[in-house]
């Protein structure tokens, strides 16, 4: 915390409209070893150090549903989403019938377990395994879980990307932290109440986390058009060329749509059932300290 606060004048540090301190640019020194793998520091958000896994744990549905609910497209309410239950504790009894045996779908990532993960329309699933102690899809270790702070996450819905850019980032953050949700009247039929706050351990990035990771002032345009401006992606450490990435934020005009970051750099909406890249995000407890390292890729911060 002290090192970030002292680095406010560094070009790789950005202070957002809410006073949060964030890393930005193509190659900031924000590497950290967490869960015996590489994660990155998004910044100090609401007084907590916020981390994102450097790579995806796989491509899965944000949520899916049976054909009688939103046409099988899922429900964009994070507090009950399939992906939330995959990442967080307390959902070990979530199962899906697979032939003659039940396959667990809940808390697999949290518990370093294997089972079924949702990856398509109408509750389609695929085998997934987070039980490894090494590899790209391993789940959380006991040590890592002990460092994660249960936090408040914001579920405000965004209506249209054309209003949000680096030039008016405060509007984007206001929307994410706001009270706009699906109105329950059109573009869906699930009848599920929407919430704007969720308390939990593992979430995803917000669209604003991605946008503010860019240090190019030329990205003052519709987020959907970012793919036309290479400066927006080449100067953004969160951007990944290889896959799409889910965010936490629902698209409030539809009951089954969620915002994601595309592999081409734009910020767009997708049906929740689509299988897209999942990069877990957590907040560290204030008791966690840096034992070693300077944040560079070859000497990442070590926590303890």
């Amino acid at each position: 915390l002290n090192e970030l606060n002292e680095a406010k004048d560094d070009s790789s540090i950005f202070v957002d409209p809410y006073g949060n301190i964030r890393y930005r640019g193509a190659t900031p020194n924000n590497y950290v070893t967490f869960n015996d793998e590489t994660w990155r520091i998004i910044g100090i958000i609401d007084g907590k150090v916020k981390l994102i896994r450097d790579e995806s744990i796989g491509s899965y549905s944000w949520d899916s549903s049976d054909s009688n609910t939103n046409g099988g497209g899922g429900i964009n309410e994070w507090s009950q989403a399939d992906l939330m239950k995959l990442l967080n504790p307390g959902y070990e009894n979530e199962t899906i019938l697979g032939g003659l045996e039940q396959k667990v779908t809940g808390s697999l990532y949290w518990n370093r377990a294997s089972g079924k993960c949702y990856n398509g329309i109408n509750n389609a699933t695929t085998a997934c395994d987070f039980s490894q102690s090494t590899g790209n899809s391993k789940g959380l270790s006991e040590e890592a879980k002990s460092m994660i702070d249960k936090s408040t996450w914001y579920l405000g819905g965004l209506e249209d990307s054309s209003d949000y850019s680096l030039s008016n980032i405060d509007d984007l953050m206001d929307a994410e932290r706001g009270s706009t949700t699906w109105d329950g009247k059109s573009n869906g039929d699930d009848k599920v109440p929407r919430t704007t706050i969720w308390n939990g351990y593992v979430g995803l990035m917000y669209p604003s986390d991605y946008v503010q990771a860019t240090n190019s002032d030329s990205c003052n345009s519709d987020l959907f058009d970012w793919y036309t401006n290479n400066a927006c992606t080449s100067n953004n450490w969160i951007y990944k060329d290889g896959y799409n990435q889910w965010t936490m934020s629902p698209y409030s005009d539809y009951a089954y749509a969620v915002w994601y970051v595309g592999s081409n750099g734009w910020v767009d909406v997708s049906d929740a059932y689509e299988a897209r890249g999942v990069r877990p995000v957590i907040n560290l407890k204030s008791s966690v300290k840096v034992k070693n390292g300077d944040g560079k890729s070859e000497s990442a911060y070590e926590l303890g």
Side-chain angles (χ1 to χ4, degrees):
L1 284 173
N2 288 335
E3 290 184 18
L4 273 180
N5 276 307
E6 292 171 359
K8 284 184 180 180
D9 295 330
D10 190 297
S11 61
S12 67
I13 298 297
F14 176 76
V15 181
D16 72 27
Y18 281 81
N20 299 308
I21 303 170
R22 299 174 178 274
Y23 280 104
R24 65 177 183 174
T27 56
N29 295 327
N30 63 343
Y31 289 86
V32 60
T33 299
F34 178 76
N35 197 42
D36 296 321
E37 58 195 359
T38 301
W39 289 53
R40 308 288 292 272
I41 304 173
I42 293 176
I44 304 175
I45 315 298
D46 297 328
K48 298 180 180 181
V49 177
K50 186 176 183 179
L51 306 184
I52 184 170
R53 195 177 191 270
D54 193 39
E55 296 291 345
S56 168
I57 60 171
S59 294
Y60 304 109
S61 300
W62 200 93
D63 190 66
S64 190
S65 57
D66 61 44
S67 59
N68 294 319
T69 303
N70 294 334
I75 301 169
N76 63 3
E77 170 53 37
W78 178 257
S79 68
Q80 67 163 44
D82 295 327
L83 186 52
M84 182 280 292
K85 294 177 181 178
L86 172 69
L87 299 174
N88 285 274
Y91 301 96
E92 291 80 3
N93 293 327
E94 293 284 329
T95 58
I96 188 169
L97 194 62
L100 299 179
E101 60 178 335
Q102 285 191 324
K103 296 293 187 180
V104 176
T105 62
S107 301
L108 299 179
Y109 178 71
W110 183 268
N111 290 327
R112 271 197 178 175
S114 62
K116 292 282 189 177
C117 293
Y118 292 93
N119 75 330
I121 199 168
N122 296 330
N123 283 331
T125 62
T126 186
C128 53
D129 187 357
F130 303 101
S131 63
Q132 307 97 322
S133 59
T134 60
N136 291 333
S137 60
K138 70 178 180 179
L140 293 170
S141 68
E142 292 302 315
E143 181 183 31
K145 288 187 283 189
S146 71
M147 296 183 182
I148 300 174
D149 199 14
K150 189 174 186 179
S151 304
T152 297
W153 304 74
Y154 302 101
L155 307 179
L158 312 183
E159 295 177 313
D160 189 343
S161 69
S162 63
D163 293 333
Y164 308 120
S165 66
L166 283 179
S167 61
N168 54 356
I169 191 65
D170 52 341
D171 292 339
L172 175 55
M173 295 190 68
D174 287 347
E176 292 168 349
R177 294 170 178 240
S179 58
T180 300
T181 61
W182 177 59
D183 62 12
K185 298 177 181 178
S186 59
N187 300 318
D189 58 10
D190 58 62
K191 313 300 181 187
V192 173
R194 295 316 196 257
T195 58
T196 55
I197 293 291
W198 172 74
N199 293 306
Y201 293 93
V202 185
L204 304 171
M205 67 175 163
Y206 300 118
S208 64
D209 291 329
Y210 171 66
V211 172
Q212 294 177 97
T214 291
N215 67 356
S216 174
D217 293 332
S218 66
C219 298
N220 296 325
S221 60
D222 183 340
L223 299 185
F224 185 77
D225 291 331
W226 271 35
Y227 74 99
T228 64
N229 187 344
N230 183 61
C232 302
T233 54
S234 63
N235 289 291
N236 188 316
W237 64 268
I238 290 182
Y239 169 69
K240 294 290 185 180
D241 183 46
Y243 51 83
N244 303 311
Q245 307 177 57
W246 281 123
T247 78
M248 288 276 289
S249 299
Y251 181 51
S252 55
D253 285 349
Y254 285 77
Y256 46 83
V258 180
W259 290 93
Y260 76 99
V261 175
S263 61
N264 52 14
W266 67 19
V267 182
D268 199 5
V269 295
S270 171
D271 290 347
Y273 76 83
E274 296 280 1
R276 301 194 181 280
V278 177
R279 293 175 71 186
V281 173
I282 62 95
N283 291 298
L284 292 174
K285 291 179 178 177
S286 59
S287 58
V288 177
K289 307 298 181 184
V290 173
K291 296 191 301 182
N292 202 359
D294 58 11
K296 296 178 181 178
S297 59
E298 65 275 13
S299 51
Y301 291 120
E302 297 178 13
L303 305 178

